[in-house]
Amino acid sequence: HSMFLQASIFAVLHAYLAFIVTDAGIPVIIFTFYEGYVCAYLESKHGILACTVAHGLAIFLVSLV
């Protein structure tokens, strides 16, 4: 439950990015929810460093598109 909550908050906090900065909308919210859930899982199993690396890698990969 806490991972779902963390992912939801992470997605909501990216609403400005989704609708104003990129104008990409709902796909960005869905992606950030998924990424938030993965990062929450990684943090719970492997610590904050794994979460930070995964987040940085996700941003890097998205920037290539």
Side-chain angles (χ1 to χ4, degrees):
H1 297 128
S2 63
M3 288 190 292
F4 183 83
L5 179 61
Q6 182 175 338
S8 298
I9 292 169
F10 188 72
V12 167
L13 292 176
H14 282 79
Y16 181 78
L17 173 70
F19 295 105
I20 305 299
V21 176
T22 66
D23 196 33
I26 296 297
V28 171
I29 298 298
I30 292 169
F31 175 78
T32 55
F33 175 83
Y34 176 75
E35 183 190 359
Y37 198 88
V38 168
C39 285
Y41 173 80
L42 288 172
E43 195 280 327
S44 72
K45 298 295 181 187
H46 304 288
I48 193 71
L49 182 59
C51 173
T52 303
V53 170
H55 182 57
L57 183 60
I59 292 171
F60 174 73
L61 292 174
V62 166
S63 74
L64 296 177
V65 175

